[in-house]
Amino acid sequence: MPSVAPVDIDDHVIAAAFLGGVPFFATAAGNIHRFDEGEKVTEAHDGLLTCIRDPFSQSLLTGGEDGRVLRISKDGSTEELASVPRKWISVVAGGPHGAVAYAVGKETRVIASGATHLFAEERSVEAVTFAPKGLRIAAARYNGASLHWVAGSAPPVDLEWKGAHIGITFSPDGRFLVTSMQENALHGWKLDSKLSAEARHMRMSGYPAKVKSWSWSPKGKWLATSGAPAAIVWPFSGKDGPMGKAPLELGTRANIMVTQVAFHPSEEMLAIGFIDGMVLAVRISDSKEALLRRQGKGAITALSWDESGQRLAFASEAGDCGIVTIAG
């Protein structure tokens, strides 16, 4: 049976992550709580808007109401990467070789190799992500997404689809680009090797609520999402991804909505967090469920596995957080 070590933080917690085995929790007020031989608190921002774990390094990237972009290392030290006075920074992304992207209004800014590159859009940038290989970025905006090479003079590729696109992710192999939308749907493009605008569309709809959390399985065969009273898991192993295929529905709980999903780092097992604070683990192969945490205070706002897949950090909007250790 998994054991749960509770962590009580007196604030809305918007992110949780492990860095080098050390759990971190980030609050809306702008404080970063690090649990390394006791609790240590770093006052990072005057109002935190976004906090992600950099997929390319052992660090967190944050943006705040104070217009600052920070990198937070596993020892709790902070480095200011950018400062844009009187602007809110709600979009950040981490890339290879220490690259960082953030958005200011209708502009994506990429810091790479000591230089800042600017990419303008016709509408506000709602989300940014780096491609898994090579220094390319994709930006979500109204009526689609834009693809840019950070270096060189290649023109951007515009991927059009009507509506407001508010989140964006590449598949781990780079073959697909998926956006979440203001409406209750995902949209995807199958990209060819030249990243042309002739990419094929994928529509993933039928959600009762917006998709605010997603997670790729370790080898990219599945994309799990929130936005329903079950985790909706789309198949991406075929050459056309989920086109013409029905998704799996895991951890179904009547009218209790899923708010967070997080795939195990090495196994096809999914952690699912619900609006009532419950956390389940479900195996893809047979849909077998394991209860990791009973209902608690507040909706689950973050789930994150450590590198070994033996511990899972969870956070809630009420600050009712904890660390689940999976019995080996």
Side-chain angles (χ1 to χ4, degrees):
M1 181 71 187
S3 63
V4 180
V7 174
D8 190 22
I9 295 173
D10 189 23
D11 194 3
H12 176 113
V13 178
I14 64 174
F18 285 92
L19 299 177
V22 177
F24 285 70
F25 297 88
T27 73
N31 295 325
I32 310 296
H33 296 252
R34 176 170 57 101
F35 291 85
D36 185 12
E37 298 179 356
E39 182 179 5
K40 302 173 177 68
V41 180
T42 300
E43 296 180 9
H45 292 273
D46 184 11
L48 182 70
L49 294 172
T50 184
C51 174
I52 64 163
R53 190 194 188 287
D54 182 359
F56 293 90
S57 74
Q58 292 280 344
S59 66
L60 303 176
L61 296 170
T62 62
E65 296 176 15
D66 51 10
R68 300 165 72 219
V69 179
L70 301 180
R71 185 186 295 278
I72 298 170
S73 300
K74 61 183 179 181
D75 63 0
S77 61
T78 63
E79 175 190 3
E80 184 177 281
L81 303 177
S83 179
V84 190
R86 297 182 297 281
K87 296 290 186 181
W88 284 19
I89 306 296
S90 60
V91 175
V92 297
H97 313 298
V100 173
Y102 63 100
V104 179
K106 299 178 182 178
E107 191 172 69
T108 302
R109 303 181 182 183
V110 180
I111 305 168
S113 302
T116 299
H117 308 263
L118 309 180
F119 302 97
E121 305 285 354
E122 292 184 1
R123 307 295 283 268
S124 294
V125 178
E126 301 294 338
V128 173
T129 189
F130 282 88
K133 296 176 182 175
L135 212 52
R136 292 173 291 166
I137 61 162
R141 50 170 169 74
Y142 195 77
N143 285 345
S146 304
L147 294 166
H148 303 272
W149 288 97
V150 174
S153 56
V157 175
D158 290 327
L159 301 172
E160 299 297 328
W161 188 258
K162 290 196 182 304
H165 300 256
I166 56 176
I168 195 162
T169 180
F170 278 98
S171 62
D173 61 9
R175 291 191 303 137
F176 302 98
L177 184 70
V178 181
T179 60
S180 57
M181 300 190 67
Q182 189 70 30
E183 60 189 85
N184 301 341
L186 303 180
H187 192 79
W189 292 268
K190 181 187 176 186
L191 306 172
D192 66 21
S193 59
K194 299 176 184 176
L195 282 182
S196 76
E198 299 303 311
R200 295 181 64 185
H201 292 280
M202 297 174 288
R203 299 178 198 126
M204 291 160 274
S205 57
Y207 290 90
K210 284 188 190 65
V211 175
K212 296 184 177 179
S213 174
W214 51 23
S215 177
W216 291 97
S217 64
K219 295 180 180 177
K221 288 172 59 178
W222 304 94
L223 175 63
T225 62
S226 67
I232 307 300
V233 186
W234 297 95
F236 274 82
S237 56
K239 66 182 179 64
D240 292 328
M243 285 188 279
K245 299 176 183 174
L248 302 177
E249 298 187 20
L250 302 181
T252 304
R253 291 185 61 212
N255 296 317
I256 310 297
M257 297 294 287
V258 171
T259 55
Q260 288 289 315
V261 290
F263 262 110
H264 188 277
S266 59
E267 299 175 22
E268 288 191 344
M269 181 173 69
L270 183 68
I272 306 171
F274 294 86
I275 198 168
D276 64 354
M278 182 183 281
V279 181
L280 291 177
V282 184
R283 209 160 48 194
I284 292 284
S285 60
D286 56 7
S287 301
K288 185 177 180 181
E289 299 177 2
L291 178 65
L292 300 186
R293 191 236 188 184
R294 301 183 189 280
Q295 294 97 321
K297 290 184 294 182
I300 297 296
T301 52
L303 290 172
S304 181
W305 294 94
D306 70 359
E307 290 87 343
S308 69
Q310 295 180 331
R311 291 183 296 162
L312 176 75
F314 64 86
S316 89
E317 63 185 13
D320 192 14
C321 309
I323 299 162
V324 181
T325 300
I326 311 297

